[in-house]
C-alpha cells in the first residue's frame, strides 16, 4: 500500500538556521517512514548567506527519504519594507507555481510564514489539488505586524485579518504552538464555529542540549575564545528581529557598567542588530558583546556558557507568537529572565517551572531590577532555578512527545478522511518505541550536518 503524500510548503528548511526550519526538518524526518514527503522551500539564507544569483530558479535536493524543491529568491534587507515585500511576493508566486505542479497530494502542509500568504498557499493548494490543508500557525498575522507597528493601515489590517480567517476556516486542521494562541484563535471567531485545531508545542533536542557546568571542556573553550572566563554572562541567543524590543532593552546595559564582571552577550542576526551595535558604539559600552549564530554542534556549549538567559517578546505579542528559545534555555538548565506579558506561553512556562523571573515588556526599570536580583543570587542559586526548568521540560516538553502528537494527528486525518481530532496531551507518551529511536536518529543527522542554531 502506498504511503499518504504530504507536500510541505515552508520557506525555511534544512540546513537553514531559522528555528522553524530546524523544527520542521526534524518533523519531516520523524514522519518520513509513514508518509511520502515533498518539501518546497527557499535556498538557505536565513542568516544572511550570500546566494548565487546565477543558480537556477528551481533546484532539486534530498534529505534521506525527503524530496526537496528549492527556490532561488532575491536577497532581502529585513530593515526595508520594500525589500521584504519583494522577497515575500517572489516566494509566494514561485511556491504556488511549484505546488500546483504536484500531481497528487493527500495533504498540503503550510505554516504562517510569510504572514497570511503562507496560509493562502495552503488554501490554493487545497482547492486546486483537492487535498487537505494542515495550517500550522507559528505566528498570528496581521496581529504580530500590528503589535510592532509594521502594519498601520486600517484597510490593509482588516483585509489581511479577513483573509487569514478564511485560511483558518478552510483548513482541515489548524495547529497552534501555545495555549495562549488557542485563545487568539477562539477570539478571532468570537467563540463560534472555531476551526478544528490542536495545540502542539515546539521543542528542542533535550538529548543534545543538556545542562553543562562552566568547567565542561566545550563551555570552557567557548568562554575562553570570547574572553568571558571571569564574566557573569547575561545571554540572548536567537533572532535579533523586530518582535523582541531588543533595540530598547539593550539600553539598560549602561546601568551595569560598574559591575565589571557582568557581560551582555547577544548571539544571532536580525533586523535590529545594526541599531543595537550602533547604540553600544555610541555609549562606549565594553560590557556588550555581539556574536554570530553558533554552529549546531556548538550550541550546547554557547547556551551552557550563560548564567542568565534573556527570553523576551515585544508588547502585544501575547497569544500571537511563542519564543522558541525558551525550550533550548530550559533544556540547558539555565535560569531565565523573561520580558514577557503575563499569561503568555513563555511566561507560563517560567512561572510553572520556577526557572526564573519575568517582567512586563517596556518596563525597563523593572527589567534592570530583576536582572540585579538574579545577579545577587549567585551561580548556586541560579543553577537551582535552571535545573527546575530542565526537570519541567523533561516531564512535559520532550521532543518525542510533540513529534508523536504530529504523527498521530496526521495519521488520524488520513484514516478518518475528516478534519482531524484534537490530540490529548498525554497520548504521545504511548509512542510504541519507534518514535524515540527515530527522534534520536533525526538529531544525529542534523548534528552531523552542522545545522546551525538560530532561534525565534
Amino acid at each position: 500500500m502506498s504511503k499518504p503524500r504530504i507536500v510541505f510548503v515552508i520557506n525555511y528548511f534544512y540546513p537553514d538556521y531559522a528555528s522553524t526550519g530546524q523544527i520542521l526538518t526534524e518533523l519531516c524526518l520523524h514522519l518520513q517512514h509513514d508518509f511520502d514527503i515533498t518539501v518546497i522551500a527557499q535556498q538557505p539564507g536565513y542568516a544572511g548567506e550570500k546566494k548565487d544569483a546565477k543558480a537556477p530558479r528551481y533546484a532539486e535536493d534530498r534529505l534521506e527519504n525527503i524530496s526537496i524543491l528549492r527556490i532561488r529568491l532575491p536577497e532581502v534587507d529585513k530593515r526595508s519594507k520594500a525589500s521584504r515585500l519583494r522577497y515575500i511576493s517572489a516566494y509566494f508566486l514561485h511556491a504556488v507555481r511549484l505546488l500546483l505542479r504536484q500531481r497528487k497530494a493527500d495533504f498540503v502542509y503550510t505554516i504562517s510564514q510569510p504572514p497570511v500568504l503562507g496560509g493562502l498557499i495552503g488554501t490554493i493548494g487545497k482547492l486546486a489539488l483537492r487535498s487537505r490543508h494542515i495550517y500550522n500557525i507559528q505566528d498570528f498575522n496581521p496581529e504580530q505586524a500590528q503589535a510592532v507597528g509594521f502594519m498601520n493601515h486600517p484597510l490593509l489590517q482588516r483585509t489581511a485579518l479577513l483573509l487569514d480567517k478564511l485560511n483558518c476556516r478552510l483548513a482541515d486542521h489548524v495547529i497552534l504552538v501555545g495555549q495562549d494562541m488557542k485563545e487568539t484563535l477562539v477570539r478571532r471567531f468570537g467563540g463560534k464555529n472555531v476551526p478544528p485545531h490542536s495545540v502542539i508545542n515546539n521543542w528542542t533536542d533535550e538529548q543534545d542540549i543538556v545542562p553543562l557546568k562552566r568547567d565542561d571542556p566545550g563551555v570552557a573553550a567557548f568562554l575562553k575564545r570570547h574572553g568571558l572566563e571571569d564574566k557573569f554572562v547575561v545571554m540572548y541567543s536567537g533572532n535579533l528581529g523586530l518582535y523582541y524590543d531588543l533595540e530598547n532593552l539593550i539600553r539598560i546595559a549602561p546601568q551595569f557598567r560598574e559591575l565589571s564582571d557582568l557581560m551582555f552577550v547577544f548571539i544571532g542576526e536580525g533586523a535590529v542588530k545594526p541599531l543595537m551595535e550602533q547604540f553600544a558604539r555610541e555609549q562606549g559600552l565594553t560590557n556588550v558583546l555581539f556574536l554570530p549564530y553558533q554552529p549546531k554542534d556548538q550550541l550546547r556549549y554557547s547556551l551552557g556558557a550563560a548564567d542568565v538567559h534573556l527570553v523576551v517578546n515585544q508588547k502585544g505579542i501575547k497569544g500571537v507568537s511563542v519564543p522558541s528559545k525558551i525550550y533550548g534555555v530550559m533544556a540547558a538548565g539555565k535560569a531565565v529572565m523573561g520580558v514577557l506579558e503575563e499569561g503568555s506561553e513563555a511566561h507560563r512556562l517560567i512561572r510553572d517551572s520556577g526557572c526564573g523571573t519575568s517582567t512586563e515588556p517596556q518596563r525597563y526599570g523593572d527589567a534592570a531590577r530583576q536582572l540585579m536580583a538574579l545577579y545577587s543570587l549567585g551561580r548556586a542559586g541560579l543553577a537551582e532555578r535552571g535545573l527546575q526548568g530542565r526537570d519541567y521540560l523533561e516531564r512535559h516538553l520532550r521532543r518525542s512527545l510533540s513529534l508523536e502528537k504530529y504523527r498521530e494527528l496526521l495519521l488520524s486525518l488520513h484514516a478518518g478522511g475528516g478534519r482531524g481530532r484534537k490530540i490529548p496531551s498525554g497520548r504521545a507518551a504511548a509512542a510504541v518505541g519507534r518514535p524515540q529511536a527515530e527522534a534520536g536518529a533525526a538529531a544525529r543527522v542534523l548534528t552531523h550536518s552542522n545545522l546551525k542554531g538560530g532561534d525565534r
Side-chain angles (χ1 to χ4, degrees):
M1 179 182 296
S2 61
K3 294 185 289 188
R5 184 163 184 249
I6 306 180
V7 179
F8 284 82
V9 188
I10 45 181
N11 48 349
Y12 299 118
F13 193 71
Y14 169 86
D16 236 323
Y17 299 176
S19 62
T20 51
Q22 296 184 51
I23 286 167
L24 288 162
T25 298
E26 293 185 7
L27 176 60
C28 289
L29 287 166
H30 185 76
L31 297 174
Q32 65 180 325
H33 300 290
D34 296 293
F35 297 89
D36 179 7
I37 296 175
T38 297
V39 173
I40 296 173
Q42 70 156 340
Q43 288 180 343
Y46 181 77
E49 302 93 331
K50 291 297 181 183
K51 300 175 183 177
D52 183 0
K54 297 181 180 180
R57 175 66 66 186
Y58 308 126
E60 296 185 4
D61 198 358
R62 289 195 73 82
L63 175 64
E64 294 193 6
N65 298 329
I66 301 163
S67 174
I68 308 170
L69 302 175
R70 298 199 185 275
I71 307 168
R72 177 175 56 79
L73 295 172
E75 298 286 347
V76 58
D77 179 355
K78 294 184 178 181
R79 294 167 292 174
S80 166
K81 287 185 179 181
S83 178
R84 281 176 176 257
L85 288 174
R86 282 196 300 272
Y87 165 82
I88 288 171
S89 299
Y91 171 79
F92 174 76
L93 293 172
H94 290 295
V96 168
R97 183 179 183 187
L98 286 179
L99 177 60
L100 296 182
R101 288 181 180 180
Q102 306 306 305
R103 294 184 177 275
K104 180 182 179 298
D106 296 285
F107 299 101
V108 173
Y109 186 112
T110 69
I111 65 171
S112 51
Q113 292 294 330
V116 180
L117 295 182
L120 183 58
I121 292 169
T123 298
I124 293 170
K126 172 188 173 74
L127 298 176
L129 302 180
R130 297 182 180 180
S131 65
R132 279 165 280 179
H133 177 210
I134 311 300
Y135 189 18
N136 181 189
I137 298 182
Q138 296 280 333
D139 311 287
F140 273 110
N141 273 292
E143 293 93 333
Q144 187 182 50
Q146 289 175 249
V148 298
F150 196 76
M151 179 187 289
N152 295 313
H153 194 290
L155 179 59
L156 284 177
Q157 290 174 357
R158 289 195 298 270
T159 302
L161 181 57
L162 286 172
L163 180 55
D164 205 50
K165 286 176 66 175
L166 178 64
N167 295 332
C168 292
R169 178 69 72 202
L170 292 178
D172 292 271
H173 207 87
V174 176
I175 299 175
L176 310 162
V177 297
Q179 291 294 334
D180 58 340
M181 294 181 70
K182 176 178 178 176
E183 297 170 9
T184 301
L185 181 68
V186 172
R187 187 166 56 250
R188 270 189 170 190
F189 292 92
K192 299 177 181 178
N193 301 315
V194 181
H197 60 277
S198 297
V199 176
I200 306 178
N201 62 269
N202 287 339
W203 60 84
T204 193
D205 181 1
E206 76 279 358
Q207 296 179 352
D208 181 51
I209 306 299
V210 296
L212 297 173
K213 296 182 179 180
R214 288 173 68 90
D215 59 1
D216 174 89
V219 175
F222 177 89
L223 292 168
K224 182 176 181 179
R225 185 159 58 249
H226 301 293
L228 300 170
E229 301 105 306
D230 300 321
K231 300 296 184 181
F232 181 94
V233 177
V234 180
M235 182 179 289
Y236 176 92
S237 177
N239 179 17
L240 305 177
L242 298 173
Y243 306 116
Y244 310 104
D245 201 31
L246 290 165
E247 69 274 27
N248 291 312
L249 186 61
I250 194 176
R251 294 178 180 274
I252 72 171
Q255 299 180 42
F256 294 87
R257 288 181 196 264
E258 295 182 5
L259 296 178
S260 59
D261 65 328
L262 190 148
M263 179 72 73
F264 291 89
V265 178
F266 295 94
I267 299 178
E269 307 293 337
V272 304
K273 184 174 182 178
L275 295 175
M276 298 171 69
E277 291 176 320
Q278 180 181 350
F279 176 79
R281 285 194 301 270
E282 291 173 349
Q283 296 291 315
L285 297 179
T286 59
N287 62 343
V288 176
L289 174 66
F290 294 94
L291 297 174
Y293 283 123
Q294 299 300 294
K296 175 70 175 181
D297 60 359
Q298 295 296 306
L299 186 59
R300 61 162 68 181
Y301 306 126
S302 61
L303 292 178
D307 294 288
V308 173
H309 275 275
L310 298 174
V311 176
V312 303
N313 257 346
Q314 176 65 277
K315 192 173 183 63
I317 299 297
K318 174 189 173 183
V320 172
S321 179
V322 178
S324 294
K325 63 180 61 59
I326 184 70
Y327 305 110
V329 173
M330 292 174 74
K334 293 298 177 178
V336 178
M337 189 187 115
V339 182
L340 304 157
E341 291 171 281
E342 185 174 356
S344 64
E345 182 75 1
H347 177 274
R348 181 185 66 81
L349 294 177
I350 295 170
R351 180 199 65 205
D352 291 353
S353 68
C355 68
T357 62
S358 185
T359 187
E360 289 284 323
Q362 299 181 5
R363 294 183 182 175
Y364 308 114
D366 287 348
R369 285 189 288 273
Q370 293 223 14
L371 181 54
M372 181 60 74
L374 289 171
Y375 174 83
S376 299
L377 283 176
R379 289 202 170 104
L382 292 172
E384 181 180 351
R385 291 196 175 201
L387 291 177
Q388 288 177 185
R390 172 72 191 198
D391 178 67
Y392 185 93
L393 180 134
E394 289 180 349
R395 287 185 287 117
H396 302 290
L397 302 170
R398 294 194 311 279
R399 182 178 64 164
S400 60
L401 297 179
S402 291
L403 288 171
E404 192 60 14
K405 287 178 185 178
Y406 274 102
R407 178 174 172 269
E408 286 190 8
L409 173 61
L410 290 167
L411 288 173
S412 76
L413 276 166
H414 180 65
R419 305 190 81 186
R421 55 187 174 82
K422 295 180 183 179
I423 301 298
S425 58
R427 295 252 348 217
V432 295
R434 185 189 64 80
Q436 279 279 14
E438 288 181 2
R444 288 191 293 275
V445 169
L446 297 177
T447 300
H448 291 169
S449 301
N450 200 31
L451 183 65
K452 296 197 176 183
D455 207 347
R456 281 160 40 96

